[in-house]
Structures are given as C-alpha cells and as structure tokens.
Amino acid sequence: MRGSRLVTIESFIIEQERLFPEATGELTNVLYDVALAAKVISSYVRRAGLAAVLGRAGAVNVQGEEQQKLDVLANEVMKHVIQKTGRVCVTASEEDEEPVPVTVEHRPGKYVLLFDPLDGSSNIDVNASIGTIFSIHKRMTPEGTPGTLEDCLQVGRSQVAAGYVIYGSSTILVYSSGVGGAHGFTLDPRIGEFLLSHPNIVSPKSGTYYSVNESNYDRWSDGYREVVRVFKSKKNARYIGSLVADFHRNLIAGGIFMYPADKKSPQGKLRLLYEAAPLAFIAEAAGGAATDGERPILDLEPAALHQRTPLVIGSAEDVAFVQKTLAKATAGAA
Ligand code: AHM
Ligand code: MG
C-alpha cells in the first residue's frame, strides 16, 4: 500500500466532492452503492470454487445445490443494492435485455447506472481475473418518473462518473468523476474497506504491451494486420481475454488493447455503453485515449442499448499510431 495515511474510498470521494460546491452528495452515494455491490460480488468471486456459483445457471453442483451463474448473481447483487435507494431512476446491464426502471414506489432518483456485472465470463470457471464495469449519467427525463431507454442512450462524454472493479490477485476499484483524474482503491479483506492505493493514475504515453485476440487475424482489415505486424516487432503480447484485466494492466504499465471489427463481428464484439464508454472515460482521465479506430469512443452517439463497437484503448501515442495506420490503409485501398 502506497502512502502512510489510510484513506477510505468514502473519505476520498467526499474530499473530491468538495471540488464541486454545487454537489448535493447524491453522486457520492451512488458511488458508495457501487463500492458496496463490488464488495459483495468480490466475496462471491473469492468463494466461487466453494459456493454453488460456478458453471451454467440451472445446473446442479456435486452437493445437489442448484447453481447460479456468477454473472447472473452479480447482476442481481448490483440491482438489489442500487434499485431501491432513491438515487437512480433506471439501471441497464449486459445481463438484462431491456432497461430496468425504478418504480415510483421506490422513488426514482436523478442518476442512471449502466453496468456489466461480471465481464470476462469465459474466465470465471478457470479462476482468472474478471471484473465489473460501471457508467453513471444524469437522467434526461423528468425527475420523479421511472427512467427510460432515453436516459440510457447518452453519449459517453456526458458520463458524470465511471469505473471498474477487477477481481484479480486483489480486488481493486478504479473510478473517475472526470476532472479530478482516475483513482484506484484496493479492498483490504481484513477490514472490508476499499483503501486508496493508486491516487491520480497516469498512464504512460506509450507502452510495452499490446493486447488483441490474434486468432482473428485472418478476419481483420489490412489496416489492423499492418498495426499488429508493427506491434509484434516492437512490443510484448499480453492477452487474457478479460477486458478489465487487459485494460487494467495496460493502464498501469502502459500498452494498448484492441478488439477490432472483423468479418465475423462487423461491429466489433464489445458493447459501447457499459464496456467501451466507461473504460474510455477512465483512459482519458488517466491521459490515455480510446477510439473505435477513427472516432473517440466518448463521442459516439448510441442508438441501441446493447450496441457494439470496435475498441482501441490505452496509451495515447499507441492509440494515435493505430488511428494513423488505419487511415493510411483506407486511403491506400481507395
Ligand atoms: P463477455 O461480456 O461475454 O464476458 O465478453 C466480453 C469479453 C471481454 O472481457 C474480452 O475482452 C473479450 O470478450 C474476449 O473476447 P474473445 O474471446 O473473442 O477474445
Ligand atoms: Mg462483458
């Protein structure tokens, strides 16, 4: 742990809130709620091999208990913690087909929470790092009413806060509320608190690592093939197949993550609203960048809740190199 002063996530967020004299404290509370959900999810993840949570939903484990899929469970935890607080008007998740509005009975609040409860699901059963990603917006529709799809379909640039939790060798929550930078907190399991461990994260301008699923090489455009040819000769390959884990490594150590569009996934694989946009918010807050190969992720206008996007994210100079190489390849092909 860096620094001798123990700073809890609560006290840190309150300190940050003082930078905004007009703040009412409600966003702070939404962030606490997310941190609380993260602790609960983390406790399930840590016991995953013992509790009845591995495998497919609907299956029965060796003790005859009905198993609940960990990502379904994480989705329920997040909604349970946030839906009745009076602070959000709608939630949207990778696991729910439609937005889930907060009913009038539960006092719809002024924020919107979008999330991927447990990303990297192919890694769950093999004990590799997985994560939760979250994005917070102010609502667009009138206060006091249940939120709608319109509240969810907002451009990434208008996020008021975003972040992720990585369940790795330790559990770390990284968040940003924009102007104040990006900050990381490590869950101390002895006291059950997130403590400040990575203040003011600054991502290196260029990095050692590149992360991409190279088995898709034959399906990529010439531009991406050229990018990877150059990266192979200059960088080190690291790919877990768990976005949060690949992103976190590259954020801290420097590097780039790419999930391009390809012949099989013409829009890319990753989701704009609750995967790409929140991580792009963190990347930019840490001095990095994120594009779909051409345009900043944070400027993309969403048209559908589960919309996909190609994603190129990480150290600023590496992302710029990809953009330049792709543009050159497109111009050359024209
Ligand atoms: P998921 O939301 O179903 O877990 O899928 C998203 C994951 C990301 O974590 C990861 O970057 C990517 O899918 C890996 O995909 P692939 O196996 O095609 O490389
Ligand atoms: Mg996901």
Side-chain angles (χ1 to χ4, degrees):
M1 185 91 29
R2 291 174 210 169
S4 54
R5 201 163 66 97
L6 286 190
V7 180
T8 64
I9 194 165
E10 278 85 352
S11 60
F12 185 86
I13 295 174
I14 287 173
E15 247 172 59
Q16 289 280 304
E17 193 188 289
R18 294 209 179 100
L19 299 174
F20 304 91
E22 71 286 0
T24 60
E26 232 172 304
L27 177 61
T28 299
N29 286 326
V30 176
L31 287 165
Y32 293 167
D33 295 336
V34 171
L36 173 63
K39 285 187 212 173
V40 178
I41 296 170
S42 181
S43 78
Y44 280 116
V45 170
R46 298 290 169 222
R47 289 180 292 123
L50 303 169
V53 291
L54 288 179
R56 291 165 185 280
V60 169
N61 73 0
V62 281
Q63 286 120 55
E65 296 161 322
E66 187 148 318
Q67 289 184 325
Q68 233 183 330
K69 238 178 140 186
L70 205 49
D71 38 12
V72 175
L73 199 66
N75 192 39
E76 293 310 314
V77 167
M78 198 74 151
K79 283 189 289 185
H80 184 78
V81 166
I82 199 83
Q83 275 263 339
K84 295 177 188 168
T85 57
R87 296 193 257 274
V88 302
C89 62
V90 63
T91 61
S93 151
E94 178 168 335
E95 299 296 330
D96 293 318
E97 206 173 321
E98 304 290 341
V100 182
V102 172
T103 57
V104 173
E105 183 200 345
H106 292 123
R107 296 169 295 118
K110 58 178 187 198
Y111 289 102
V112 177
L113 179 71
L114 301 107
F115 57 94
D116 182 351
L118 215 48
D119 186 64
S121 35
S122 63
N123 281 313
I124 294 176
D125 289 1
V126 295
N127 202 21
S129 298
I130 45 182
T132 297
I133 311 174
F134 62 93
S135 162
I136 304 171
H137 286 271
K138 272 206 176 123
R139 69 180 305 167
M140 306 287 286
T141 50
E143 289 205 11
T145 58
T148 68
L149 180 62
E150 186 191 341
D151 295 306
C152 301
L153 298 185
Q154 297 193 48
V155 68
R157 193 74 65 196
S158 72
Q159 290 171 105
V160 290
Y164 62 89
V165 185
I166 175 168
Y167 311 103
S169 43
S170 48
T171 295
I172 296 182
L173 185 153
V174 175
Y175 93 97
S176 173
S177 49
V179 285
H183 313 282
F185 302 81
T186 301
L187 182 61
D188 184 336
R190 295 168 308 177
I191 57 172
E193 279 286 358
F194 279 108
L195 301 176
L196 183 63
S197 52
H198 300 72
N200 293 311
I201 297 171
V202 178
S203 199
K205 286 280 161 242
S206 171
T208 318
Y209 299 119
Y210 76 98
S211 311
V212 67
N213 185 342
E214 257 180 272
S215 68
N216 294 327
Y217 187 91
D218 290 342
R219 291 193 281 261
W220 292 337
S221 66
D222 289 345
Y224 276 108
R225 291 184 201 185
E226 174 57 18
V227 164
V228 169
R229 265 197 295 272
V230 174
F231 282 169
K232 267 177 192 296
S233 65
K234 295 193 171 157
K235 296 187 187 293
N236 240 327
R238 289 282 189 281
Y239 188 74
I240 300 179
S242 187
L243 175 60
V244 168
D246 282 313
F247 174 77
H248 183 72
R249 178 211 319 105
N250 297 347
L251 179 77
I252 303 293
I256 185 164
F257 171 95
M258 301 188 291
Y259 209 110
D262 61 39
K263 284 184 194 142
K264 195 170 102 197
S265 319
Q267 309 303 323
K269 177 180 182 190
L270 300 170
R271 316 291 182 137
L272 173 60
L273 287 172
Y274 43 79
E275 292 180 327
L279 296 187
F281 195 75
I282 295 291
E284 287 201 7
T291 72
D292 65 351
E294 287 174 41
R295 298 156 297 171
I297 291 288
L298 294 181
D299 292 339
L300 300 180
E301 293 280 352
L305 187 58
H306 299 289
Q307 182 171 327
R308 296 173 194 270
T309 178
L311 178 62
V312 178
I313 190 166
S315 294
E317 287 175 9
D318 297 332
V319 173
F321 169 77
V322 174
Q323 190 162 342
K324 211 170 83 194
T325 309
L326 295 180
K328 231 197 247 163
T330 311

